[in-house]
Amino acid sequence: MPATKLTKSSSTPRLSESPILGESTEAFCGDIRRHFNFTLGRDKNCKSAHYAYTALALAVRDRLMECWRNTQSAYESADSRKTYYLSLEFLLGRALSNAILNLGVEGPLGTALTELGVDLEELVACEQDAGLGNGGLGRLAACFIDSCATLQLPVMGYGLRYEYGMFRQNVENGFQVEEPDHWLRNGHVWELERPELTLRIRFGGRVEHYSEQDRRRRVRWTDTHDVLAVPYDVPIPGYRNGTVNTLRLWKAAATDEFDLNEFNAGDYAESVRAKNLAENITMVLYPNDASENGKELRLRQQYFLASASLQDVLRNWVLKHGQDFTEFAAKNSFQLNDTHPSIAVAELMRLLIDEHDLSWDQAWAITNQTMAYTNHTLLPEALERWPVRLFEQMLPRLLEIIYEINANFLGEVANRWPGDLDRLARMSLIEEGYQKQVRMAYLAIVGSYSVNGVAELHSNLLMQGLFRDFYELWPERFNNKTNGITPRRWLASCNPGLNALITEAIGDGWVTDLGQLSRLRDFAEDRAFRERWRKVKQENKDRLIDFKRRELGLEVDRFSMFDVQVKRIHEYKRQLLNILHVIHLYDRIKRGDAGSDWTPRCVIFGGKAAPGYAMAKLIIKLINNVATVVNRDPALKDLLRVAFLPNYRVSAMEVICPGTDLSEQISTAGKEASGTGNMKFMMNGALTIGTLDGANIEIRREVGAENFFLFGLTAEEVEATRAYYDPTSIIEGNDDLKRVMNLLETGYFNQYEPGIFEPVVHSVRSAYDPWMTAADFASYVLAQQQAAAAYRDQDDWTRMSILNTAASGQFSTDRTISEYNRDIWRLRPIPARAAL
Ligand SMILES: *Cc1c(COP(=O)(O)O)cnc(C)c1O
């Protein structure tokens, strides 16, 4: 048993006295060899790069361990305020390069690897992406914890350790085919299991109310089916500052007595089934981005994360402070990453009242001063609602608490707006109707002291639209925190060429103070510098070509404009608009309208569709069919190429964004909450073609309208146009679009698959098309022509490229996290320090 004491003698064991590890070439050589030979038990006959990778990763991890314990002991002794970031997703990608960069050991380690005769890049590629997220929301969580560590903030991430992460995407005959991502198969060297910190999570059962001698009413939640939560800790290193924070991921495991009871009853098979049911909770990540799940198992995951994380925090509190919670709210806060973990509001109430004996009012005061909620989407289908009936069965005690929160809350609303029954119904946490539902976003708002959106436009639309009633009640709760990305992964590490050039020009302070990139503005006027910048971009494009050749076998003109749209496939993101434009370019070439001033393009798509999202999958098929027709036509060689890169993921983006010329950010205005892909491209010197949506607005403001290709309706115009939207007459009035639709409608791209694209045609022609694709076609084509013309002047394009990187300083998560900390968390940075 893990809890067994190490020694019975009264003397303190000296096991924990840590040796100091060197960071010299010799020290690394020795440690990598030792791990290869002894930890892993390999020898000269082992040809698999995987073991060399593991040995290297373990040697790097050893160095993180020292900083990790120093950081934790500094937090421990400071006893300061802390924040816990609760997220169902952390899209981490690979860890090795990031750890080497942040530790600052590239020099000696590089020499060591040369001596050992191994290639770093090859080993780096051995690491499986940790794909514990769908897209932007999960990647944001990963960038956030990187910045928290770099800013030395005492922030801990809490998430789930899914056995299967985001599915692997194959393309067969143009169709997406999903394969399970068993990312743990070859082990995960970065995690540390902490079985001694296992907790118990309850499900089902029933609630008993009773009174004790002191006549206080008490609650017992009994006959539950319990599941164990086992923590696995992942180190999150700050940038060269000795700090290593913790990401704690929970794995579900069956309880022992559960098995035993069934076993005694003689039903072995039943006991194994029960075990599987328990362990199912963290088996798989739900692969839906920005859309509702409605599945029982998903609610189980949400409660499992919330309960385990809160119990963990409360256990530590009680160890230090006993049952005295007077200081708890001053010392702790929880940031909820979207509504997914919002059951934490009710769970904290339950734990404080039922397990720690606080009164309702005391518990509510604490909850309401510690919970903070981030909203990530305006799409109504993504606002989670759970059937009351499901709550009754799975979490009966939580439902009671939600009802009481609602009763108190509606009392407050009635008090403020007497007689306004419509408002009460609108704002209630319970949606009445055929099937009563709990509105999880409202639970999060009512339970939190801060509610934020993720870009200026998005936060404004929340206050004026979706959450207007709540904004009228509590305007002071609402605020904006524009998203960002970590410049360590998304510039310093993924773009070594640009890193070196920028550092030569302005020093290396930008890595932790990204605003310093603005000093590149002067260099944009320097012709020699522009030439070097262009060369780096070309090298990055060549790297991307290699990647494409490996993945697709596709040959492309290395000087053509790399026009890229990679992100989840969703109708609101309008990959469809992009492919309609590609068809238009094809049509122009075929009708002889590609003159000598034609700008050759390679249009690259990538992204996964939710497995149940038929229209998104059909759009992938359309892109692939168009690519087949375009790429095999000799008349188009060197004028137009189209590629769909399968299995888009973090490690793919690290090659894609440095090699991109033109970044496609073309969502229907008012639909993309922020976007972060847009920031990665900009930081790496791509120009953006985009709508006034999400953070595009702020990107354009920072870089200047003259360095951004704008098109399309505004969010206001989109809403104003809806009532009389008439795509058929738009198509009739635009010869280019008419010809494109004609090619689609005559089955030009699906000659052996009759009718398959009818749903696509229908969606563009529908007066109820929520994404208004036809409405923006003409202005999109115009903006594309401006981009093509601009690209012909390579020197001026390069100037604009430099200006984009120079203006990207705002979009560092260091800035975002500083704002969270200033306005919401109010943490004091705590430097790590060596143990005494
Ligand atoms: C950045 C990133 C995203 C988010 O991209 P958007 O364009 O903002 O939707 C999604 N997936 C991966 C792998 C990313 O790196």
Side-chain angles (χ1 to χ4, degrees), residues 216-238:
R216 245 183 97 169
R217 291 183 54 217
R218 278 171 215 256
V219 178
R220 195 158 35 214
W221 183 9
T222 63
D223 292 343
T224 51
H225 297 282
D226 299 355
V227 178
L228 298 180
V230 185
Y232 287 71
D233 287 355
V234 180
I236 306 297

Side-chain angles (χ1 to χ4, degrees), residues 683-697:
M683 207 174 279
N684 284 275
L687 275 68
T688 304
I689 182 166
T691 49
L692 286 176
D693 200 16
N696 293 353
I697 294 171

Side-chain angles (χ1 to χ4, degrees), residues 91 134-136 139 490 566-568 573 648-650 653 665 672 675-678 680:
L91 188 48
N134 273 281
R139 184 54 232 174
W490 296 114
V566 290
K567 48 181 75 239
R568 287 303 291 258
K573 292 177 182 280
Y648 175 57
R649 61 198 185 281
V650 171
M653 186 54 157
Q665 307 300 336
E672 185 76 271
T676 50
N678 46 5
K680 296 167 198 166

Side-chain angles (χ1 to χ4, degrees), residues 173-477:
N173 186 31
F175 290 102
Q176 167 174 298
V177 176
E178 302 95 22
E179 261 180 35
D181 165 47
H182 197 186
W183 70 292
L184 294 166
R185 182 170 323 177
N186 297 322
H188 181 221
V189 294
W190 304 104
E191 69 185 10
L192 269 194
E193 187 182 356
R194 306 288 305 274
E196 72 278 18
L197 300 179
T198 296
L199 289 162
R200 182 177 278 264
I201 314 298
R202 300 202 255 183
F203 292 97
R206 62 201 164 78
V207 181
E208 289 174 0
H209 291 260
Y210 63 101
S211 299
E212 275 188 349
Q213 278 103 337
D214 60 6
R215 308 184 71 90
R216 245 183 97 169
R217 291 183 54 217
R218 278 171 215 256
V219 178
R220 195 158 35 214
W221 183 9
T222 63
D223 292 343
T224 51
H225 297 282
D226 299 355
V227 178
L228 298 180
V230 185
Y232 287 71
D233 287 355
V234 180
I236 306 297
Y239 183 74
R240 300 186 186 177
N241 61 7
T243 291
V244 175
N245 280 349
T246 303
L247 170 61
R248 180 161 289 176
L249 302 176
W250 300 102
K251 175 195 162 109
T255 57
D256 292 343
E257 77 261 31
F258 207 40
D259 286 358
L260 212 64
N261 288 339
E262 300 289 350
F263 188 73
N264 291 341
D267 195 343
Y268 173 75
E270 185 56 29
S271 88
V272 173
R273 197 191 69 86
K275 186 171 154 68
N276 275 335
L277 220 59
E279 293 179 351
N280 249 343
I281 293 179
T282 51
M283 195 54 72
V284 61
L285 166 76
Y286 275 96
N288 298 336
D289 182 67
S291 61
E292 200 184 6
N293 282 295
K295 294 286 195 299
E296 178 182 330
L297 181 59
R298 172 74 173 174
L299 179 58
R300 251 177 223 282
Q301 291 184 337
Q302 296 180 348
Y303 179 66
F304 181 79
L305 169 67
S307 183
S309 310
L310 292 174
Q311 286 190 56
D312 198 37
V313 172
L314 290 178
R315 169 174 57 194
N316 282 333
W317 180 265
V318 170
L319 274 177
K320 259 212 147 101
H321 306 266
Q323 299 292 340
D324 179 0
F325 286 88
T326 41
E327 288 287 300
F328 186 83
K331 291 285 180 81
N332 296 283
S333 70
F334 303 93
Q335 190 72 42
L336 308 176
N337 196 21
D338 214 350
T339 49
H340 313 152
S342 57
I343 187 66
V345 169
E347 175 64 0
L348 184 55
M349 290 297 288
R350 183 189 75 80
L351 290 169
L352 292 175
I353 295 170
D354 295 358
E355 313 266 324
H356 297 282
D357 244 10
L358 267 60
S359 72
W360 179 276
D361 290 345
Q362 289 169 323
W364 185 247
I366 287 176
T367 301
N368 212 242
Q369 288 168 51
T370 53
M371 293 284 164
Y373 161 57
T374 304
N375 173 280
H376 282 271
T377 173
L378 293 157
L379 301 183
E381 67 267 31
L383 285 184
E384 291 184 299
R385 292 176 177 79
W386 292 108
V388 164
R389 178 192 43 75
L390 187 59
F391 260 99
E392 262 160 11
Q393 289 161 14
M394 190 194 298
L395 304 168
R397 177 58 182 143
L398 281 292
L399 183 62
E400 287 186 348
I401 290 171
I402 290 171
Y403 277 150
E404 192 157 345
I405 293 173
N406 197 36
N408 294 339
F409 165 62
L410 292 180
E412 196 178 332
V413 176
N415 207 21
R416 170 80 190 269
W417 288 282
D420 192 344
L421 294 183
D422 282 351
R423 191 183 288 264
L424 284 177
R426 285 203 307 271
M427 296 180 80
S428 173
L429 304 190
I430 307 297
E431 184 173 281
E432 301 292 335
Y434 166 69
Q435 179 169 243
K436 285 215 280 185
Q437 307 221 314
V438 183
R439 294 162 162 162
M440 299 306 283
Y442 293 2
L443 175 64
I445 298 173
V446 171
S448 297
Y449 67 96
S450 164
V451 177
N452 74 283
V454 292
E456 286 172 12
L457 174 70
H458 172 237
S459 296
N460 289 333
L461 292 175
L462 283 181
M463 293 184 280
Q464 293 158 19
L466 207 55
F467 296 156
R468 185 190 184 119
D469 290 325
F470 292 90
Y471 177 66
E472 287 175 2
L473 183 58
W474 297 309
E476 69 288 350
R477 274 188 205 186

Side-chain angles (χ1 to χ4, degrees), residues 580 583-584 587-588 591 593 731 733-742 777-778 781 785:
L580 293 182
I583 297 170
H584 163 68
D587 177 52
R588 275 185 55 196
R591 73 189 194 221
D593 193 23
I731 294 165
N734 181 315
D735 201 46
D736 290 336
L737 182 53
K738 198 167 153 184
R739 294 174 63 101
V740 168
M741 293 304 288
N742 182 254
F777 181 83
V781 169
Q785 282 167 3

